Amino acid sequence: MRNTRQPLPSPMRFFTAYAIMIICTQAAVVYAFSRSSAFTKLSVGDVTNQFSIQAAAAASVPSERIALELEDRISIPTAPAERGLLLLDKVDNLISSPGDRSVNQNILTKLNLDVDNDVRWAKETPLPFESDYSNHAIRNDHSETMLRTSIEYEPISVTASTEESSATTTIAVRTKPSTPLLIQSDISLLREAVETYWQHLASSENNGASTKSGFTYQRKGNSEAHLSDIVRYYEQYKLGEKRQQQVSALVDKLLLDRVYPWVRDAFLSKEDESNGDLYVYDAIFIRYNATEAENIGAGQPLHRDLGYVSVNIMLNSQDEFKGGGTFFENQLLPVVLNEGGDASNDIRALKPLGPGHAIAHYSSDRHAGSATFDGVRDILVLFVAVAAAEAERAPKWEVAARLKSTARAYCSDAHDDDGSTMSSIDEQLLCRVRHHRLAIKEVPTDGEAWHYLGMALLDYHNYDVAMQKQRDCTNNCSILRLAISCLEEATTYTPCDGRLLNNLGIARERLFEDYQTRKEETEMSTTDLSRFLDSLRGQVADAFSRSIQIHQLCKQAGCDVNADDESACLNYGLFLSKLDDFEGAIDILSLVAANYEAEDTDSDAIVASRVLRDASNLLDFCKRQIH
């Protein structure tokens, strides 16, 4: 018999701190999972059943979107095209203002200026544009004619099957054995050039500080160098005229003769906007050193790249390292779309066929550098972008990507039509909504844009509630339902995003709590309300459990998704504890609280993870309730 229930330990603190672990993947501390029974009792194939503690209530409930089951103030049709248009119409009604056209134009003008600046910067680097091919001789022998190599490649695909149908999705393309992008002598020259550049930096007055690049995910065990800096270094310091020409010629040939033709044939030729000029947005030599990374493995968390296509070239033999490779979120499609039926399959990170070979993929596809846990792995990553043709605007995918990535910064610094800064929070929130709405206008199937739109709407709803602007819940609930519908729409296009499902669970939980607190105000009968709440409770649990399942599968492939997994477990555990399901909460929280116990001797790691600390505190609280 449990004791009288004690107050939850600051539940709203948990909720506000971790419920909005929204858009950015945290790349802080990597925690090694303990091999305690609380963790190892779960196999990947068991995840769905093990985590569906409250989802059992939803087993007999059709999996329609929540918006379909709510009051008729927002009735969403089931046809995807119609559903998306209706949702966007409702968003437009929310953000509409007399100056819409000029506001949108200001946003796009600023964006195009940024694009122009990036293209101008790229032209000042020693890396050639695709259009330079016609008048670009190989720099170590001006009499030689550059002949383009036809790169043979093959798709890397997954097939997701359900009872009704099956669909094959191409994740990436990979060079065939006959046509590597680099031969061994090229690789040796490139690695030697990088080592020379690093030695120069280490001996400079900066004492190696500049070895830390502007790359997004700078992590322990990783060393990086920008390809443009290496070429500039050789040109500036005249390290032997022949060697300088060899390095410059290698880069020219790699891009003009191999990479650009391959990217155009495999990707750009299939676009409506295919007449742009390919160029390198950035190019980075990355070394993953497992020894320097110690026990966490050297890799990169799940992320998206800026650019159009990312090309990952392998520079050393698989015999020199263990682990590594690129894991793509969409590798989980057969599991996720088949409701975990293929979870027992071995999901591994993908690698090129060998040194000099490459994998290429859309930069916007979420992927991770799977952990290298022994040895050293060297790769060259090229972020290839597309410069618009003369008098044309940036390609639609470029516009969408920049609208998403700049929304927060732009809206914090934006000005109203009269020149005054957007001082009110609601103006800034609606500005974010507008950015993501414009991104969807560019690419209607952009799941990340739908995700960000849903979260901006959820933030707007939360602000309205906090400020008590609407005593009547009609408007607030309408915005909340719209946020949920946008998040559900995002799952159509990015069903394997565990962060998205965590956020969907959070939004559904908000609605569940709202209906619980205003039972007397609803027009539903007691029976209908009870049935609706049971369904909604199950759908909250289903979103959280699927988020955790996806994170478990990502970790199986060597991905660092610990921060996201811990956040989802804490949110789910808090939800269950508020329902007095302490046994269920214990099962969930034990998965991550065990990491807190395992890392107890590492004070820095403990401080770095408030999520683990609070999960441990909540776990202790739940245990006290059943003893």
Side-chain angles (χ1 to χ4, degrees):
M1 182 72 122
R2 65 179 177 87
N3 298 330
T4 303
R5 184 178 183 186
Q6 301 174 24
L8 279 172
S10 303
M12 286 309 296
R13 179 165 61 87
F14 288 119
F15 196 71
T16 55
Y18 311 112
I20 312 295
M21 305 270 319
I22 60 174
I23 306 308
C24 40
T25 299
Q26 295 191 1
V29 183
V30 182
Y31 294 90
F33 279 93
S34 78
R35 294 296 178 181
S36 67
S37 59
F39 180 72
T40 56
K41 70 180 181 182
L42 296 180
S43 67
V44 173
D46 294 330
V47 168
T48 301
N49 293 332
Q50 191 72 28
F51 288 116
S52 297
I53 295 167
Q54 289 296 329
S60 61
V61 178
S63 58
E64 295 94 345
R65 298 163 185 271
I66 281 187
L68 297 175
E69 302 181 53
L70 297 178
E71 301 158 45
D72 58 5
R73 282 193 293 268
I74 176 168
S75 177
I76 307 297
T78 55
E82 295 177 22
R83 184 178 60 236
L85 290 174
L86 183 54
L87 288 174
L88 294 177
D89 184 57
K90 292 180 179 296
V91 172
D92 290 340
N93 290 337
L94 177 66
I95 62 176
S96 63
S97 66
D100 269 356
R101 185 181 295 273
S102 63
V103 172
N104 293 347
Q105 189 57 49
N106 288 341
I107 292 172
L108 295 175
T109 298
K110 172 66 167 58
L111 184 149
N112 280 301
L113 285 174
D114 291 341
V115 172
D116 290 343
N117 288 336
D118 283 344
V119 172
R120 192 176 300 112
W121 176 88
K123 287 183 176 179
E124 293 174 357
T125 74
L127 306 183
F129 277 52
E130 181 188 29
S131 57
D132 292 332
Y133 175 82
S134 58
N135 57 5
H136 208 291
I138 296 179
R139 283 186 260 185
N140 69 329
D141 185 350
H142 292 280
S143 65
E144 182 178 346
T145 301
M146 184 179 292
L147 298 176
R148 289 187 170 180
T149 302
S150 178
I151 301 298
E152 297 182 357
Y153 59 92
E154 59 189 3
I156 303 174
S157 304
V158 296
T159 300
S161 300
T162 64
E163 292 182 359
E164 293 80 17
S165 62
S166 66
T168 298
T169 300
T170 297
I171 295 174
V173 295
R174 177 166 52 195
T175 54
K176 287 186 174 182
S178 57
T179 52
L181 297 187
L182 295 171
I183 60 176
Q184 188 56 52
S185 59
D186 296 334
I187 295 172
S188 299
L189 176 60
L190 178 60
R191 295 180 79 184
E192 176 191 326
V194 174
E195 293 287 359
T196 302
Y197 175 69
W198 277 340
Q199 290 171 11
H200 161 73
L201 292 178
S203 62
S204 70
E205 61 182 11
N206 291 329
N207 196 28
S210 55
T211 60
K212 298 300 183 184
S213 73
F215 192 47
T216 308
Y217 299 111
Q218 187 63 243
R219 297 163 63 85
K220 189 174 183 179
N222 298 357
S223 301
E224 293 137 15
H226 290 272
L227 186 60
S228 57
D229 289 342
I230 296 168
V231 176
R232 277 200 190 101
Y233 165 68
Y234 270 78
E235 292 177 347
Q236 178 181 354
Y237 287 88
K238 306 294 183 185
L239 303 176
E241 193 70 21
K242 183 176 181 179
R243 180 62 74 190
Q244 172 199 338
Q245 290 178 350
Q246 286 176 335
V247 172
S248 298
L250 168 61
V251 173
D252 289 350
K253 190 173 179 86
L254 172 64
L255 295 177
L256 295 171
D257 179 39
R258 300 164 185 168
V259 172
Y260 291 154
W262 184 33
V263 170
R264 178 166 290 279
D265 182 63
F267 296 93
L268 192 59
S269 63
K270 299 172 176 58
E271 304 283 359
D272 294 334
E273 301 170 286
S274 61
N275 57 344
D277 191 9
L278 292 171
Y279 71 100
V280 173
Y281 178 83
D282 202 354
I284 305 175
F285 178 99
I286 305 176
R287 170 163 293 169
Y288 297 110
N289 190 321
T291 302
E292 292 183 5
E294 297 174 347
N295 64 334
I296 64 174
Q300 305 288 356
L302 280 165
H303 63 280
R304 289 179 172 89
D305 300 326
L306 286 176
Y308 172 56
V309 168
S310 299
V311 179
N312 183 320
I313 306 174
M314 190 174 184
L315 297 180
N316 60 330
S317 170
Q318 176 68 61
D319 296 336
E320 298 178 24
F321 62 90
K322 293 181 181 178
T326 305
F327 169 77
F328 294 91
E329 196 173 64
N330 281 342
Q331 287 179 251
L332 301 179
L333 282 171
V335 180
V336 172
L337 297 185
N338 199 26
E339 299 180 353
D342 296 329
S344 60
N345 289 352
D346 192 12
I347 299 174
R348 299 183 181 183
L350 304 176
K351 299 174 185 175
L353 295 179
H357 284 278
I359 286 177
H361 61 89
Y362 288 111
S363 301
S364 58
D365 288 345
R366 280 232 303 171
H367 58 284
S370 186
T372 298
F373 52 85
D374 187 39
V376 173
R377 173 181 173 232
D378 287 347
I379 61 172
L380 176 64
V381 183
L382 308 169
F383 304 109
V384 180
V386 183
E390 195 72 23
E392 291 186 11
R393 66 180 206 134
K396 58 188 177 184
W397 59 82
E398 175 91 7
V399 174
R402 289 176 180 263
L403 283 166
K404 293 180 294 182
S405 65
T406 61
R408 286 179 180 272
Y410 179 94
C411 295
S412 297
D413 300 332
H415 294 77
D416 291 325
D417 291 338
D418 61 2
S420 61
T421 303
M422 286 185 183
S423 56
S424 66
I425 295 176
D426 60 339
E427 285 180 311
Q428 295 181 22
L429 290 170
L430 289 176
C431 175
R432 280 174 49 204
V433 171
R434 183 182 296 276
H435 269 71
H436 302 312
R437 167 64 180 95
L438 289 172
I440 294 170
K441 181 180 179 181
E442 297 294 327
V443 184
T445 58
D446 188 335
E448 185 180 53
W450 281 103
H451 182 180
Y452 290 9
L453 175 60
M455 294 311 296
L457 290 166
L458 182 59
D459 285 350
Y460 184 70
H461 162 79
N462 293 337
Y463 175 75
D464 258 5
V465 171
M467 298 302 292
Q468 297 181 344
K469 288 188 173 182
Q470 297 288 336
R471 295 184 181 276
D472 185 301
C473 191
T474 301
N475 184 51
N476 282 325
C477 289
S478 177
I479 295 173
L480 177 56
R481 289 195 299 272
L482 183 57
I484 292 171
S485 294
C486 289
L487 292 172
E488 290 173 335
E489 189 73 5
T491 65
T492 302
Y493 306 113
T494 52
C496 302
D497 188 339
R499 305 165 312 153
L500 167 60
L501 290 164
N502 177 50
N503 291 332
L504 178 58
I506 291 161
R508 286 173 170 175
E509 182 180 0
R510 298 275 172 94
L511 190 64
F512 175 79
E513 291 177 338
D514 177 77
Y515 269 82
Q516 277 194 316
T517 57
R518 62 184 189 99
K519 290 180 180 179
E520 303 301 324
E521 301 174 26
T522 182
E523 297 179 359
M524 293 186 193
S525 68
T526 302
T527 301
D528 288 344
L529 179 60
S530 176
R531 185 167 52 213
F532 170 70
L533 288 174
D534 285 345
S535 171
L536 187 50
R537 183 189 302 113
Q539 293 188 52
V540 172
D542 178 68
F544 284 138
S545 65
R546 285 193 291 144
S547 174
I548 296 169
Q549 179 200 21
I550 286 172
H551 293 139
Q552 295 283 324
L553 292 169
C554 290
K555 285 190 286 190
Q556 175 188 322
C559 296
D560 170 19
V561 291
N562 290 330
D564 293 330
D565 187 40
E566 291 155 6
S567 205
C569 287
L570 178 56
N571 287 329
Y572 192 13
L574 182 60
F575 173 66
L576 294 174
S577 66
K578 288 189 286 187
L579 296 175
D580 285 358
D581 183 2
F582 299 113
E583 291 87 353
I586 289 170
D587 285 344
I588 299 301
L589 294 167
S590 294
L591 297 173
V592 292
N595 304 336
Y596 181 84
E597 296 164 2
E599 298 288 344
D600 196 28
T601 58
D602 187 348
S603 59
D604 291 337
I606 296 302
V607 172
S609 182
R610 293 168 55 209
V611 178
L612 287 178
R613 180 196 64 200
D614 289 347
S616 181
N617 290 340
L618 183 57
L619 175 62
D620 290 341
F621 168 81
C622 292
K623 287 179 177 178
R624 291 196 298 271
Q625 307 313 302
I626 60 175
H627 293 301

